[in-house]
Each structure stands twice: as C-alpha cells, then as structure tokens.
Amino acid sequence: MSAIGYIYTVILVLCLVESSQTAALDGACTVDGNCTTNAVCTTGLCKCNTGFVANTGNTDCLAKVALDGECTIDAQCTITTNAGKCTGSKCACSTGYVANSGATACLATAALDGACTIDAQCTITTNAGKCTATKCACSTGYVANSGTTACLATAALDGACTIDAQCTITPNAGKCTASKCACSTGYVANSGTTACLATAALDGACTIDAQCTITTNAGKCTATKCACSTGYVANSGTTACLATAALDGACTIDAQCTITTNAGKCTATKCACSTGYSANAGKTTCIADGALGGTCLNDAACTGTTNAVCAASKCTCKANYIANTAGTACIADGALGGTCLNDNACTGTTHANVCTASKCMCKTNYSANTAGTACIAPGALKGTCSANTDCTGTANAGNCTTYMCECNAGYTANTDETACSLGMMILAAPWMLLMMVMTTSLSKL
C-alpha cells in the first residue's frame, strides 16, 4: 500500500470511530446519531427533541406530559396549560388553578362572585365554595356581605349578625337589630326567643300578650285571642278598644260604663245610672231608688234607710237626723256623727260626748268604728294602737296594723266589729240550737 493510501485509511477509521461515540446533552455532535436517546443534533450541540425536556442533571431527555400524566420533575408538565407542577409523580395544576372534572384542563380559582364552572374553583374566599349560575357563591349556611367580599354565617333568632341577610335560620326573623337577629315586621319573639309569632289585631289568634299590638289598647292575650287591655272594652264590631268610664264619663256603648257601680248605661254619650238608680249631687255614685239620696214618690218609698222621708222627690233624713259622711244612714242629733250645739248634747252614743264643728265625735283616745256607729276604746278591735302589745281589749284581736287593732290570723271580725270569730265558732250554732231544744223540752216537763 502506498503512503497516500495508508493516510486515507487512517482518516476514514478515525471518522468512523468518532461517529460511533454518543454525545451527552449540550455535547458536540455532527449528526443526530451522536446524541443520547430522544435528543437531536442542533447547531452542533445535542438538544432534547420536540416533546421532551432535559432532566435536572441534564443527562437525559424526559417526555413532556399532560395534566395527570406521570412525571418526575415540574418541567415535564407543559402540555396542559397551567398544569406546571409535578406532585406525587403526576402533573397537577399550578397554584391558583384546579383540575376540571375530567382532569383535562386547569381552571383558575376564583373569589366570591368570580367566574366559575365547577365548585372546586371557588377556594379564594372562605366559605364561598359553591359555583352557582357560573359565579362563586357562599356555601350552605353562609351569605355574602353587602360588598360581596366575604361570606357571613347565617344565624337564628337572637343570634349574632351584621346584616339582615344573615338572619335566615328562624322563619320570620329576618332583621338584624343591635347586632342580633330579630323578628321581621309583623312578628314578635316568643317567650323563649326560639320562634317569631305573627302579631294580631283585636280578637285575633295569639299565645302571648306581645303578639297583640295591631289594635290600640288591645294588649292582652286571653283564651288564645287578643283582648282589650285593662281599662278598655271592645266595641260592638270587635274592631277597636274603647276606654271604660265612670258615671258621667264619655261613652259610645253601655259596655264602657263599668267604673262606677250601678252606672252601666250609656245615654247621650255619657255613662248614666242603671234602671232603679239615680246619681248623687256630685255625680260620683249611683243611689238605689228609696235609699238615702235616691229618688222617691212619697215617704213610703224611702224604705232603704231608717229615719228617711221623701222631700223634693229625694229620700232625705227626717227632722232631728242628719246623713252620715258616706250618705248611707241617718244619724240622730246627739249620736256619733249627729249634730250638736255643745258637749252636753252628745248623749246618743257611748263615749261620743265631744261636740266638734257641730258634730258629736268620739272622746280622746277613742275612735269610731267602720260603720261610724260606736266609739271604740284604745286596744279593742278597730281601736288605736302602736304595737301588738297594745291590743288587749278584744279576744283574738292582737294584731296592730297601721295603728289599728285587727283580728289575729285565722279570725274574722263580726258584723258590728265587736268580736273576732274563728271558723270553728260557726260549729257552735248547732250545739246552741240543740241546747235550746233541750231546754224547751225540759221546761214542758
């Protein structure tokens, strides 16, 4: 072989040796065959082929993968837009994105009221985890605030709140007042603050007084119906409450005339005395016909009061008698409460021998009984006292109340207020009757 032929042979062998060696990534190359698997020779350097990326050591080309594909580094996750994280050996959506239901795309997360197609996107605003009508909405049990920037917890009656919209748990409790859920207009809370009850007009259904607010002065719930408050009565149509009235007071119906006894008629828009009664001079009481001060035709009609006669169609005390302060009895001159000229004229009632302002009065330390017919000694029943120990004048009347001796507990004053009787004393009557029968029988023997 010639020298020139030998040289060509050596050059050819060297070229063949060089072309058979594999170049690393970013290594020099002349042809694709020089480069590692999935790499090509580009401008004299080995680079990963389309669809592949270099590993972290730049020693190998790894395939690019889509969302949910297997991976070892984030750089592989480039096929699905916004799926740039390799988590748990699988490509996942980047921060701020979530996978759609088919794991084929990454959707942007959204705040309250932001655009969405699935619930999973609604993660930015706390408790706004629902996608409704393509917008992020508050989760069940929450409502949006007025600025649609936050979700607030719903609340029951009396629960904490900042806006009306939170008050949805208790029916008809849709108002937020003083930071607490309250009943809506037309409703009131029940006694346990657990429910809102509808307000009602007069005669409307109710369970508590507080419901009865629609009709003025109809604030009582009686027998499950709204009734007029104390001092008022319903009109004939049960549509309004009218104030009750005394004798001579304004009225429109008889039912209003309840304050003065026996003044139960509404005549000419004023309360008048009932049939069989007539008003006194001051129009403060109704007096029965025939009673002192009542109407009469003759003396015979004045049977309601002893010592009364008919004068000017009114029963009045006869001569030498005067009406007592209450106008219910005729008192003889010289008796307690009767007229007098001096002390000597006061002889009609024991211990009422003092003439004061032309009337006979009880002497010092004595006081008149309730009926004004007797003078009671200090310490006796209805007499004056300052302590229980003063009340010694009447048996079982040892209780000093408001400076007056009263019967002990369990005892009751008799009609003329001269003794205190125990209930068992009523049982004495049959024994007394038996003794009377026995006495009568023995007298006949």
Side-chain angles (χ1 to χ4, degrees), residues 21 32 45 48 69 76 83 90 96 99 108 119 130 142 145 158 182 192 245 252 270 353 361 373 444:
Q21 290 180 344
D32 291 346
L45 294 174
C48 287
Q76 288 178 264
K90 287 199 174 185
D119 289 348
K130 289 174 64 179
Y142 294 85
N145 65 356
D158 207 42
T252 54
K270 287 201 174 184
N353 54 8
M361 308 294 287
T373 57
K444 292 179 178 180

Side-chain angles (χ1 to χ4, degrees), residues 333-335 338-348 352-361:
D333 293 348
T339 59
C340 59
L341 292 174
N342 50 48
D343 291 352
N344 293 330
C346 298
T347 58
N353 54 8
V354 178
C355 185
T356 302
S358 301
K359 286 200 174 183
C360 292
M361 308 294 287

